[in-house]
Amino acid sequence: VMCWPSSCCRLSRTRAGGLLNDPRRPSFLPVDENTMSATPRPRYARFERTRLDHQQELVEDYVEEIAQLHRDHGEARASDLAERFGVSAAAVSKVIARLKRDGLAEARPYRGVFLTEKGSELAEKVEARHQLVLSTLLALGVPPHVAEADSEGIEHHCSDATVEAMQRFLEAHDR
């Protein structure tokens, strides 16, 4: 059973009255299967995942780009990231601090930015998802320049179930 912060440690007193009935719990969070059908979903819950995806989107874009810069140039500098994203050096510094805090990157003065193992794994996952979304859009007949632009946004909002369905679609489409 997952704990939602407001109900943490109070869940054990009753299954029916704890986490599942907390109106602040986003409806997509996993809950014990025995209690799954006991609560109607609040209207706002369908937007909660999108808000969380938007928070993760920037992190995913940065780790993907850092990995790409290392492949292309052997290093990733804050100035390169600022140029690629069209943002200020200060904005890049804030994101790098977040990546460091989350254990996704390491940065040393005058040495550039390096992904940790965790950051590299995330970058690989994001790149694979990006390619899958792009391939799906192209298979659907979306023009390449539009598919590339659209895949940049869509890739961050696909659940694992959607990614698996896209993979099945492409496998069937290639036959």
Side-chain angles (χ1 to χ4, degrees):
V1 177
M2 291 200 49
C3 287
W4 186 243
S6 64
S7 61
C8 189
C9 300
R10 288 184 274 160
L11 183 58
S12 60
R13 66 190 157 136
T14 174
R15 289 185 135 187
L19 175 63
L20 191 61
N21 290 325
D22 186 344
R24 295 163 293 194
R25 178 189 61 83
S27 63
F28 63 87
L29 286 176
V31 178
D32 184 3
E33 291 179 14
N34 297 326
T35 59
M36 194 63 117
S37 63
T39 301
R41 292 181 172 179
R43 184 169 175 81
Y44 68 83
R46 63 184 161 165
F47 302 107
E48 187 70 20
R49 184 174 141 217
T50 301
R51 283 193 291 274
L52 293 173
D53 287 347
H54 282 299
Q55 292 173 7
Q56 185 67 13
E57 189 172 340
L58 186 65
V59 169
E60 291 179 353
D61 282 341
Y62 269 76
V63 296
E64 186 178 19
E65 199 59 43
I66 291 168
Q68 187 66 48
L69 284 167
H70 275 278
R71 277 193 301 277
D72 293 348
H73 304 291
E75 67 177 347
R77 298 175 302 162
S79 59
D80 296 329
L81 291 166
E83 182 181 325
R84 294 259 179 131
F85 288 113
V87 298
S88 69
V92 171
S93 293
K94 286 181 182 179
V95 177
I96 291 172
R98 179 177 174 186
L99 295 177
K100 288 170 58 176
R101 182 194 73 212
D102 293 347
L104 298 170
E106 296 175 354
R108 292 181 219 105
Y110 311 106
R111 296 268 333 270
V113 182
F114 302 89
L115 294 176
T116 62
E117 185 175 333
K118 182 179 172 183
S120 294
E121 289 171 4
L122 179 60
E124 288 175 19
K125 179 181 176 183
V126 171
E127 289 169 2
R129 190 174 59 213
H130 175 85
Q131 286 304 314
L132 182 66
V133 170
L134 178 60
S135 296
T136 301
L137 293 175
L138 292 171
L140 290 170
V142 177
H145 68 283
V146 175
E148 184 62 45
D150 287 352
S151 66
E152 282 298 330
I154 294 170
E155 68 181 317
H156 303 290
H157 300 278
C158 293
S159 67
D160 289 342
T162 300
V163 170
E164 291 169 11
M166 287 180 177
Q167 187 65 48
R168 287 190 307 273
F169 169 79
L170 288 176
E171 289 168 0
H173 185 265
D174 289 339
R175 291 182 195 158

